Amino acid sequence: PDGAVMPASLSVRRSRPRKVAPEHPPDRRVVLLLITVLVALTLWNLRPSDPEGSYTALEEIADLRLHMFLTASTINAYHDSAGRFPPSLEVMEADEEGITYLPDEVGYSLVGVSAGTTIEYYSADDLNMLPPGPAGLPGETAS
């Protein structure tokens, strides 16, 4: 009613109109930049990660030495658990390309060939000679 007084605890708030930013289309340069980046990343991901022949001879020899070390470690673990050397690498599912396993009465030999280099390891030799390292370690000969 007219002339009525509102208590101080009640107040009327008037809402202010919100300012809305006008919508602008995205800048063409930004869109072109994003498309370029997307295409570049897609092409980068589609490239072959390991093209054939991308390893150097030293890298191939280091890889062979590592696989021979792992194979010898697997053979030794088999011997420790079974009390005998395995008849073949296939028994242990440790058959590696380029590595030949030659068991005998008292041990075994591993012969690995890669990048024109032959590496020979006998089970009585120090296993630490096999991890990848500088060329010319014992048991390594150029073919």
Side-chain angles (χ1 to χ4, degrees):
D2 291 332
V5 177
M6 291 184 123
S9 62
L10 293 176
S11 64
V12 177
R13 289 188 181 177
R14 291 185 181 171
S15 61
R16 294 182 189 171
R18 292 186 177 180
K19 293 182 180 178
V20 178
E23 290 188 27
H24 293 289
D27 188 11
R28 288 181 106 165
R29 290 178 289 171
V30 173
V31 172
L32 289 175
L33 176 67
L34 290 174
I35 290 172
T36 303
V37 168
L38 180 64
V39 168
L41 289 174
T42 302
L43 292 174
W44 178 263
N45 285 325
L46 293 177
R47 70 176 173 75
S49 60
D50 183 24
E52 189 66 31
S54 65
Y55 293 113
T56 66
L58 289 177
E59 289 171 329
E60 288 183 20
I61 293 168
D63 185 61
L64 174 64
R65 295 173 74 78
L66 176 62
H67 282 95
M68 287 181 70
F69 175 82
L70 295 173
T71 301
S73 297
T74 304
I75 293 169
N76 293 341
Y78 182 97
H79 181 266
D80 291 345
S81 67
R84 60 185 170 79
F85 291 107
S88 68
L89 294 178
E90 291 83 15
V91 171
M92 304 177 309
E93 298 180 7
D95 192 21
E96 288 287 339
E97 186 177 332
I99 298 176
T100 305
Y101 170 64
L102 306 167
D104 61 29
E105 299 80 35
V106 294
Y108 65 91
S109 294
L110 291 177
V111 179
V113 178
S114 180
T117 299
T118 300
I119 301 173
E120 297 177 0
Y121 169 76
Y122 187 69
S123 57
D125 296 338
D126 182 12
L127 187 58
N128 290 322
M129 71 172 255
L130 281 177
L137 290 175
E140 187 172 313
T141 57
S143 296

